[in-house]
PDB file of all heavy atoms in Angstrom:
ATOM      1  N   LEU V 112      15.027 -43.079 -59.374  1.00  0.00           N
ATOM      2  CA  LEU V 112      14.113 -42.187 -60.070  1.00  0.00           C
ATOM      3  C   LEU V 112      12.742 -42.125 -59.265  1.00  0.00           C
ATOM      4  O   LEU V 112      12.260 -40.986 -59.141  1.00  0.00           O
ATOM      5  CB  LEU V 112      13.677 -42.767 -61.484  1.00  0.00           C
ATOM      6  CG  LEU V 112      14.806 -42.738 -62.520  1.00  0.00           C
ATOM      7  CD1 LEU V 112      14.452 -43.385 -63.760  1.00  0.00           C
ATOM      8  CD2 LEU V 112      15.277 -41.329 -62.796  1.00  0.00           C
ATOM      9  N   THR V 113      12.348 -43.073 -58.621  1.00  0.00           N
ATOM     10  CA  THR V 113      11.157 -43.090 -57.826  1.00  0.00           C
ATOM     11  C   THR V 113      11.342 -42.156 -56.628  1.00  0.00           C
ATOM     12  O   THR V 113      10.370 -41.420 -56.260  1.00  0.00           O
ATOM     13  CB  THR V 113      10.693 -44.524 -57.274  1.00  0.00           C
ATOM     14  OG1 THR V 113      10.591 -45.421 -58.404  1.00  0.00           O
ATOM     15  CG2 THR V 113       9.412 -44.468 -56.550  1.00  0.00           C
ATOM     16  N   TYR V 114      12.488 -42.285 -55.993  1.00  0.00           N
ATOM     17  CA  TYR V 114      12.814 -41.333 -54.929  1.00  0.00           C
ATOM     18  C   TYR V 114      12.686 -39.914 -55.248  1.00  0.00           C
ATOM     19  O   TYR V 114      12.086 -39.097 -54.522  1.00  0.00           O
ATOM     20  CB  TYR V 114      14.098 -41.712 -54.334  1.00  0.00           C
ATOM     21  CG  TYR V 114      14.629 -40.785 -53.256  1.00  0.00           C
ATOM     22  CD1 TYR V 114      14.173 -40.706 -51.945  1.00  0.00           C
ATOM     23  CD2 TYR V 114      15.599 -39.858 -53.518  1.00  0.00           C
ATOM     24  CE1 TYR V 114      14.579 -39.782 -51.038  1.00  0.00           C
ATOM     25  CE2 TYR V 114      16.142 -38.956 -52.669  1.00  0.00           C
ATOM     26  CZ  TYR V 114      15.510 -38.949 -51.345  1.00  0.00           C
ATOM     27  OH  TYR V 114      15.984 -37.977 -50.418  1.00  0.00           O
ATOM     28  N   TYR V 115      13.377 -39.589 -56.331  1.00  0.00           N
ATOM     29  CA  TYR V 115      13.314 -38.129 -56.788  1.00  0.00           C
ATOM     30  C   TYR V 115      12.017 -37.666 -57.235  1.00  0.00           C
ATOM     31  O   TYR V 115      11.713 -36.477 -57.004  1.00  0.00           O
ATOM     32  CB  TYR V 115      14.439 -37.973 -57.817  1.00  0.00           C
ATOM     33  CG  TYR V 115      15.893 -37.865 -57.374  1.00  0.00           C
ATOM     34  CD1 TYR V 115      16.731 -38.975 -57.596  1.00  0.00           C
ATOM     35  CD2 TYR V 115      16.215 -36.761 -56.593  1.00  0.00           C
ATOM     36  CE1 TYR V 115      18.027 -38.797 -57.090  1.00  0.00           C
ATOM     37  CE2 TYR V 115      17.483 -36.673 -56.166  1.00  0.00           C
ATOM     38  CZ  TYR V 115      18.425 -37.779 -56.353  1.00  0.00           C
ATOM     39  OH  TYR V 115      19.813 -37.643 -55.874  1.00  0.00           O
ATOM     40  N   PHE V 116      11.230 -38.647 -57.734  1.00  0.00           N
ATOM     41  CA  PHE V 116       9.810 -38.316 -58.208  1.00  0.00           C
ATOM     42  C   PHE V 116       9.003 -38.019 -57.050  1.00  0.00           C
ATOM     43  O   PHE V 116       8.216 -37.046 -57.048  1.00  0.00           O
ATOM     44  CB  PHE V 116       9.294 -39.523 -59.053  1.00  0.00           C
ATOM     45  CG  PHE V 116       7.877 -39.274 -59.348  1.00  0.00           C
ATOM     46  CD1 PHE V 116       7.440 -38.444 -60.344  1.00  0.00           C
ATOM     47  CD2 PHE V 116       6.837 -39.891 -58.591  1.00  0.00           C
ATOM     48  CE1 PHE V 116       6.203 -38.341 -60.809  1.00  0.00           C
ATOM     49  CE2 PHE V 116       5.510 -39.804 -58.981  1.00  0.00           C
ATOM     50  CZ  PHE V 116       5.085 -38.976 -59.990  1.00  0.00           C
ATOM     51  N   THR V 117       9.120 -38.855 -55.889  1.00  0.00           N
ATOM     52  CA  THR V 117       8.355 -38.631 -54.694  1.00  0.00           C
ATOM     53  C   THR V 117       8.802 -37.242 -54.093  1.00  0.00           C
ATOM     54  O   THR V 117       7.908 -36.437 -53.602  1.00  0.00           O
ATOM     55  CB  THR V 117       8.483 -39.712 -53.684  1.00  0.00           C
ATOM     56  OG1 THR V 117       9.857 -39.836 -53.485  1.00  0.00           O
ATOM     57  CG2 THR V 117       7.887 -40.954 -54.284  1.00  0.00           C
ATOM     58  N   VAL V 118      10.033 -36.909 -54.031  1.00  0.00           N
ATOM     59  CA  VAL V 118      10.460 -35.619 -53.457  1.00  0.00           C
ATOM     60  C   VAL V 118      10.050 -34.501 -54.301  1.00  0.00           C
ATOM     61  O   VAL V 118       9.534 -33.522 -53.808  1.00  0.00           O
ATOM     62  CB  VAL V 118      12.091 -35.634 -53.408  1.00  0.00           C
ATOM     63  CG1 VAL V 118      12.598 -34.161 -53.003  1.00  0.00           C
ATOM     64  CG2 VAL V 118      12.616 -36.551 -52.474  1.00  0.00           C
ATOM     65  N   PHE V 119      10.056 -34.572 -55.637  1.00  0.00           N
ATOM     66  CA  PHE V 119       9.563 -33.561 -56.549  1.00  0.00           C
ATOM     67  C   PHE V 119       7.999 -33.331 -56.345  1.00  0.00           C
ATOM     68  O   PHE V 119       7.522 -32.156 -56.172  1.00  0.00           O
ATOM     69  CB  PHE V 119       9.855 -34.006 -57.968  1.00  0.00           C
ATOM     70  CG  PHE V 119       9.228 -33.023 -58.976  1.00  0.00           C
ATOM     71  CD1 PHE V 119       9.723 -31.699 -59.221  1.00  0.00           C
ATOM     72  CD2 PHE V 119       8.173 -33.376 -59.719  1.00  0.00           C
ATOM     73  CE1 PHE V 119       9.197 -30.924 -60.086  1.00  0.00           C
ATOM     74  CE2 PHE V 119       7.474 -32.473 -60.585  1.00  0.00           C
ATOM     75  CZ  PHE V 119       8.065 -31.133 -60.810  1.00  0.00           C
ATOM     76  N   VAL V 120       7.296 -34.421 -56.212  1.00  0.00           N
ATOM     77  CA  VAL V 120       5.883 -34.235 -56.121  1.00  0.00           C
ATOM     78  C   VAL V 120       5.537 -33.711 -54.734  1.00  0.00           C
ATOM     79  O   VAL V 120       4.632 -32.789 -54.593  1.00  0.00           O
ATOM     80  CB  VAL V 120       5.103 -35.594 -56.302  1.00  0.00           C
ATOM     81  CG1 VAL V 120       3.650 -35.510 -55.983  1.00  0.00           C
ATOM     82  CG2 VAL V 120       5.267 -36.154 -57.743  1.00  0.00           C
ATOM     83  N   GLY V 121       6.254 -34.020 -53.598  1.00  0.00           N
ATOM     84  CA  GLY V 121       6.089 -33.506 -52.358  1.00  0.00           C
ATOM     85  C   GLY V 121       6.354 -31.956 -52.233  1.00  0.00           C
ATOM     86  O   GLY V 121       5.424 -31.270 -51.736  1.00  0.00           O
ATOM     87  N   LYS V 122       7.450 -31.625 -52.864  1.00  0.00           N
ATOM     88  CA  LYS V 122       7.709 -30.055 -53.016  1.00  0.00           C
ATOM     89  C   LYS V 122       6.705 -29.354 -53.740  1.00  0.00           C
ATOM     90  O   LYS V 122       6.408 -28.284 -53.406  1.00  0.00           O
ATOM     91  CB  LYS V 122       9.101 -29.977 -53.415  1.00  0.00           C
ATOM     92  CG  LYS V 122      10.207 -30.427 -52.413  1.00  0.00           C
ATOM     93  CD  LYS V 122      11.577 -30.008 -52.915  1.00  0.00           C
ATOM     94  CE  LYS V 122      12.655 -30.532 -52.009  1.00  0.00           C
ATOM     95  NZ  LYS V 122      14.017 -30.135 -52.477  1.00  0.00           N
ATOM     96  N   LEU V 123       6.355 -30.034 -54.894  1.00  0.00           N
ATOM     97  CA  LEU V 123       5.322 -29.413 -55.760  1.00  0.00           C
ATOM     98  C   LEU V 123       3.901 -29.102 -54.898  1.00  0.00           C
ATOM     99  O   LEU V 123       3.298 -28.035 -55.052  1.00  0.00           O
ATOM    100  CB  LEU V 123       5.037 -30.113 -57.023  1.00  0.00           C
ATOM    101  CG  LEU V 123       4.131 -29.605 -57.979  1.00  0.00           C
ATOM    102  CD1 LEU V 123       4.708 -28.351 -58.580  1.00  0.00           C
ATOM    103  CD2 LEU V 123       3.911 -30.654 -59.156  1.00  0.00           C
ATOM    104  N   LEU V 124       3.481 -30.096 -54.200  1.00  0.00           N
ATOM    105  CA  LEU V 124       2.312 -29.962 -53.447  1.00  0.00           C
ATOM    106  C   LEU V 124       2.464 -28.998 -52.337  1.00  0.00           C
ATOM    107  O   LEU V 124       1.565 -28.241 -51.988  1.00  0.00           O
ATOM    108  CB  LEU V 124       1.914 -31.350 -53.013  1.00  0.00           C
ATOM    109  CG  LEU V 124       1.335 -32.399 -54.014  1.00  0.00           C
ATOM    110  CD1 LEU V 124       1.104 -33.644 -53.293  1.00  0.00           C
ATOM    111  CD2 LEU V 124       0.279 -31.853 -54.800  1.00  0.00           C
ATOM    112  N   ASP V 125       3.595 -28.954 -51.637  1.00  0.00           N
ATOM    113  CA  ASP V 125       3.865 -28.149 -50.527  1.00  0.00           C
ATOM    114  C   ASP V 125       3.870 -26.642 -51.132  1.00  0.00           C
ATOM    115  O   ASP V 125       3.330 -25.669 -50.446  1.00  0.00           O
ATOM    116  CB  ASP V 125       5.190 -28.357 -49.903  1.00  0.00           C
ATOM    117  CG  ASP V 125       5.122 -29.597 -48.980  1.00  0.00           C
ATOM    118  OD1 ASP V 125       4.012 -29.875 -48.530  1.00  0.00           O
ATOM    119  OD2 ASP V 125       6.182 -30.213 -48.850  1.00  0.00           O
ATOM    120  N   ASN V 126       4.519 -26.358 -52.178  1.00  0.00           N
ATOM    121  CA  ASN V 126       4.564 -24.939 -52.727  1.00  0.00           C
ATOM    122  C   ASN V 126       3.201 -24.589 -53.178  1.00  0.00           C
ATOM    123  O   ASN V 126       2.779 -23.316 -53.056  1.00  0.00           O
ATOM    124  CB  ASN V 126       5.591 -24.918 -54.020  1.00  0.00           C
ATOM    125  CG  ASN V 126       6.977 -25.203 -53.401  1.00  0.00           C
ATOM    126  OD1 ASN V 126       7.334 -24.845 -52.419  1.00  0.00           O
ATOM    127  ND2 ASN V 126       7.825 -25.732 -54.371  1.00  0.00           N
ATOM    128  N   PHE V 127       2.388 -25.533 -53.712  1.00  0.00           N
ATOM    129  CA  PHE V 127       1.058 -25.154 -54.231  1.00  0.00           C
ATOM    130  C   PHE V 127       0.191 -24.840 -53.109  1.00  0.00           C
ATOM    131  O   PHE V 127      -0.642 -23.889 -53.090  1.00  0.00           O
ATOM    132  CB  PHE V 127       0.583 -26.205 -55.070  1.00  0.00           C
ATOM    133  CG  PHE V 127      -0.849 -26.000 -55.699  1.00  0.00           C
ATOM    134  CD1 PHE V 127      -0.960 -24.955 -56.596  1.00  0.00           C
ATOM    135  CD2 PHE V 127      -2.009 -26.639 -55.191  1.00  0.00           C
ATOM    136  CE1 PHE V 127      -2.291 -24.837 -57.184  1.00  0.00           C
ATOM    137  CE2 PHE V 127      -3.209 -26.407 -55.641  1.00  0.00           C
ATOM    138  CZ  PHE V 127      -3.349 -25.364 -56.614  1.00  0.00           C
ATOM    139  N   SER V 128       0.314 -25.635 -51.902  1.00  0.00           N
ATOM    140  CA  SER V 128      -0.479 -25.378 -50.691  1.00  0.00           C
ATOM    141  C   SER V 128      -0.218 -24.040 -50.101  1.00  0.00           C
ATOM    142  O   SER V 128      -1.146 -23.453 -49.541  1.00  0.00           O
ATOM    143  CB  SER V 128      -0.270 -26.504 -49.782  1.00  0.00           C
ATOM    144  OG  SER V 128       1.057 -26.584 -49.306  1.00  0.00           O
ATOM    145  N   GLU V 129       1.017 -23.632 -50.186  1.00  0.00           N
ATOM    146  CA  GLU V 129       1.335 -22.292 -49.514  1.00  0.00           C
ATOM    147  C   GLU V 129       0.775 -21.191 -50.312  1.00  0.00           C
ATOM    148  O   GLU V 129       0.581 -20.042 -49.807  1.00  0.00           O
ATOM    149  CB  GLU V 129       2.994 -22.177 -49.450  1.00  0.00           C
ATOM    150  CG  GLU V 129       3.510 -23.219 -48.591  1.00  0.00           C
ATOM    151  CD  GLU V 129       3.140 -22.895 -47.167  1.00  0.00           C
ATOM    152  OE1 GLU V 129       2.812 -21.862 -46.741  1.00  0.00           O
ATOM    153  OE2 GLU V 129       3.169 -23.902 -46.326  1.00  0.00           O
ATOM    154  N   ARG V 130       0.558 -21.375 -51.692  1.00  0.00           N
ATOM    155  CA  ARG V 130      -0.020 -20.329 -52.522  1.00  0.00           C
ATOM    156  C   ARG V 130      -1.580 -20.288 -52.245  1.00  0.00           C
ATOM    157  O   ARG V 130      -2.057 -19.193 -52.384  1.00  0.00           O
ATOM    158  CB  ARG V 130       0.386 -20.524 -53.983  1.00  0.00           C
ATOM    159  CG  ARG V 130       1.821 -20.385 -54.210  1.00  0.00           C
ATOM    160  CD  ARG V 130       2.073 -20.645 -55.711  1.00  0.00           C
ATOM    161  NE  ARG V 130       3.524 -20.422 -55.991  1.00  0.00           N
ATOM    162  CZ  ARG V 130       4.026 -20.529 -57.177  1.00  0.00           C
ATOM    163  NH1 ARG V 130       3.272 -20.868 -58.292  1.00  0.00           N
ATOM    164  NH2 ARG V 130       5.339 -20.397 -57.347  1.00  0.00           N
ATOM    165  N   VAL V 131      -2.114 -21.390 -52.025  1.00  0.00           N
ATOM    166  CA  VAL V 131      -3.548 -21.450 -51.821  1.00  0.00           C
ATOM    167  C   VAL V 131      -3.853 -21.739 -50.337  1.00  0.00           C
ATOM    168  O   VAL V 131      -3.979 -22.826 -49.859  1.00  0.00           O
ATOM    169  CB  VAL V 131      -4.204 -22.510 -52.740  1.00  0.00           C
ATOM    170  CG1 VAL V 131      -5.706 -22.512 -52.614  1.00  0.00           C
ATOM    171  CG2 VAL V 131      -3.774 -22.429 -54.154  1.00  0.00           C
ATOM    172  N   SER V 132      -3.838 -20.735 -49.603  1.00  0.00           N
ATOM    173  CA  SER V 132      -3.843 -20.816 -48.106  1.00  0.00           C
ATOM    174  C   SER V 132      -5.239 -21.460 -47.641  1.00  0.00           C
ATOM    175  O   SER V 132      -5.341 -22.161 -46.552  1.00  0.00           O
ATOM    176  CB  SER V 132      -3.715 -19.471 -47.438  1.00  0.00           C
ATOM    177  OG  SER V 132      -4.715 -18.716 -47.791  1.00  0.00           O
ATOM    178  N   LYS V 133      -6.271 -21.284 -48.363  1.00  0.00           N
ATOM    179  CA  LYS V 133      -7.537 -21.758 -47.968  1.00  0.00           C
ATOM    180  C   LYS V 133      -7.601 -23.250 -47.955  1.00  0.00           C
ATOM    181  O   LYS V 133      -8.189 -23.984 -47.139  1.00  0.00           O
ATOM    182  CB  LYS V 133      -8.683 -21.200 -48.873  1.00  0.00           C
ATOM    183  CG  LYS V 133     -10.052 -21.622 -48.482  1.00  0.00           C
ATOM    184  CD  LYS V 133     -11.198 -21.044 -49.409  1.00  0.00           C
ATOM    185  CE  LYS V 133     -12.438 -21.429 -48.972  1.00  0.00           C
ATOM    186  NZ  LYS V 133     -13.444 -20.704 -49.949  1.00  0.00           N
ATOM    187  N   TYR V 134      -6.846 -23.919 -48.915  1.00  0.00           N
ATOM    188  CA  TYR V 134      -6.806 -25.334 -49.087  1.00  0.00           C
ATOM    189  C   TYR V 134      -5.422 -26.000 -48.769  1.00  0.00           C
ATOM    190  O   TYR V 134      -5.084 -26.980 -49.228  1.00  0.00           O
ATOM    191  CB  TYR V 134      -7.293 -25.726 -50.535  1.00  0.00           C
ATOM    192  CG  TYR V 134      -8.558 -25.307 -51.067  1.00  0.00           C
ATOM    193  CD1 TYR V 134      -8.702 -24.105 -51.801  1.00  0.00           C
ATOM    194  CD2 TYR V 134      -9.723 -25.945 -50.522  1.00  0.00           C
ATOM    195  CE1 TYR V 134      -9.887 -23.787 -52.190  1.00  0.00           C
ATOM    196  CE2 TYR V 134     -10.999 -25.514 -50.963  1.00  0.00           C
ATOM    197  CZ  TYR V 134     -11.102 -24.378 -51.784  1.00  0.00           C
ATOM    198  OH  TYR V 134     -12.281 -23.902 -52.118  1.00  0.00           O
ATOM    199  N   ARG V 135      -4.740 -25.265 -47.938  1.00  0.00           N
ATOM    200  CA  ARG V 135      -3.320 -25.601 -47.653  1.00  0.00           C
ATOM    201  C   ARG V 135      -3.378 -27.028 -46.839  1.00  0.00           C
ATOM    202  O   ARG V 135      -2.603 -27.918 -47.291  1.00  0.00           O
ATOM    203  CB  ARG V 135      -2.667 -24.608 -46.722  1.00  0.00           C
ATOM    204  CG  ARG V 135      -1.214 -24.909 -46.510  1.00  0.00           C
ATOM    205  CD  ARG V 135      -0.547 -23.890 -45.549  1.00  0.00           C
ATOM    206  NE  ARG V 135      -0.851 -24.256 -44.168  1.00  0.00           N
ATOM    207  CZ  ARG V 135      -1.599 -23.352 -43.441  1.00  0.00           C
ATOM    208  NH1 ARG V 135      -2.051 -22.230 -43.892  1.00  0.00           N
ATOM    209  NH2 ARG V 135      -1.864 -23.799 -42.111  1.00  0.00           N
ATOM    210  N   LEU V 136      -4.178 -27.130 -45.819  1.00  0.00           N
ATOM    211  CA  LEU V 136      -4.074 -28.301 -45.120  1.00  0.00           C
ATOM    212  C   LEU V 136      -4.645 -29.601 -45.988  1.00  0.00           C
ATOM    213  O   LEU V 136      -4.094 -30.666 -45.841  1.00  0.00           O
ATOM    214  CB  LEU V 136      -4.887 -28.199 -43.867  1.00  0.00           C
ATOM    215  CG  LEU V 136      -4.515 -27.164 -42.820  1.00  0.00           C
ATOM    216  CD1 LEU V 136      -5.492 -27.187 -41.582  1.00  0.00           C
ATOM    217  CD2 LEU V 136      -3.122 -27.439 -42.467  1.00  0.00           C
TER     218      LEU V 136
END
Side-chain angles (χ1 to χ4, degrees):
L112 291 176
T113 304
Y114 171 76
Y115 283 107
F116 175 76
T117 55
V118 172
F119 173 76
V120 172
K122 291 184 177 181
L123 184 66
L124 292 176
D125 286 337
N126 294 332
F127 182 70
S128 64
E129 295 297 334
R130 295 181 180 180
V131 187
S132 59
K133 184 177 180 180
Y134 301 100
R135 187 184 77 248
L136 297 183

